Amino acid sequence: MSMQSFFVQGQQTACANMAEAVASKIQDMRKEAVREMFSDFSLENGRLCPVGTIRGVHYVDDAMAENVNAVWYALENVHEPIYWIVDGERTDDVERLEVLKPWMNKVKRLICVGGQDELRAALDLDPNRYLTVQTLDEAVRMAYLCADEKQTVLYAPLFPGRGTSESSESRSHRFRQAVNEL
């Protein structure tokens, strides 16, 4: 496979394929601890999945982006102005959010489900670019009302779900359902 065709598949897919190849080679290693560490590797589906386009606004689901590194990747790979929906129970130190600051110029508005005032302060966002809502449905409706053509509504929660029963799959389903109801 040529390098050109390798990278045509997209940066995330290319990286995931390389990681999967490395993981399969590690299975042949002799050290049991290293082999076990990579034995449950599986390709993550559901990252940066397009949900649809409504009035020229793209809706993208990245419900698996539940930490700073995953959100960094999402923000870097969306090339249009972003309405970013954040959701979940904050677990990270606010200082870790510092790495997201360079991408905040792409974020037109940050919509937080349940409120995250520390997040707004840590990202040094103007209060006019920050909204607090109570539900994911309400966040999607607010993004629908605010976003303009050729912009993206990105659902990248940043934090794990509230409670032990809320998986990224159920959050993804709720986001997609809210978009489909617009």
Side-chain angles (χ1 to χ4, degrees):
M1 173 186 284
S2 72
M3 288 304 277
Q4 172 91 22
S5 61
F6 183 70
F7 283 105
V8 165
Q9 59 186 311
Q11 182 182 10
Q12 180 181 2
T13 305
C15 290
N17 288 342
M18 285 190 293
E20 193 167 16
V22 168
S24 70
K25 291 292 182 193
I26 288 176
Q27 291 297 316
D28 297 332
M29 295 180 80
R30 293 177 190 253
K31 292 271 186 191
E32 186 65 30
V34 174
R35 192 170 51 241
E36 269 187 40
M37 190 168 59
F38 286 91
S39 66
D40 63 352
F41 178 84
S42 64
L43 185 60
E44 272 191 297
N45 293 322
R47 296 296 315 274
L48 292 173
C49 293
V51 176
T53 302
I54 302 170
R55 295 184 323 164
V57 177
H58 306 287
Y59 291 81
V60 176
D61 175 16
D62 198 356
M64 290 187 169
E66 295 181 338
N67 62 54
V68 172
N69 293 338
V71 171
W72 173 87
Y73 180 85
L75 293 174
E76 181 177 283
N77 285 287
V78 174
H79 303 292
E80 300 160 328
I82 300 168
Y83 283 78
W84 174 23
I85 299 175
V86 173
D87 189 8
E89 195 78 33
R90 184 169 64 84
T91 57
D92 287 340
D93 287 335
V94 189
E95 293 80 36
R96 291 208 51 219
L97 300 173
E98 191 80 21
V99 298
L100 299 178
K101 277 187 177 180
W103 283 267
M104 288 301 101
N105 61 339
K106 291 170 115 177
V107 176
K108 300 286 284 179
R109 184 159 287 161
L110 179 65
I111 304 171
C112 290
V113 178
Q116 296 283 348
D117 290 334
E118 304 91 8
L119 178 63
R120 184 193 64 75
L123 296 175
D124 200 25
L125 276 180
D126 181 305
N128 296 327
R129 293 176 50 205
Y130 177 81
L131 266 171
T132 300
V133 296
Q134 296 306 310
T135 66
L136 184 56
D137 289 340
E138 189 179 351
V140 170
R141 282 193 304 275
M142 291 304 293
Y144 172 80
L145 293 173
C146 296
D148 294 322
E149 192 173 339
K150 296 185 181 177
Q151 294 181 339
T152 297
V153 174
L154 172 65
Y155 180 52
L158 181 61
F159 306 117
R162 299 174 201 280
T164 55
S165 64
E166 189 174 43
S167 67
S168 57
E169 291 85 14
S170 67
R171 296 165 84 178
S172 174
H173 177 73
R174 285 191 305 121
F175 175 73
R176 291 165 182 264
Q177 186 175 2
V179 171
N180 290 330
E181 289 174 1
L182 291 176

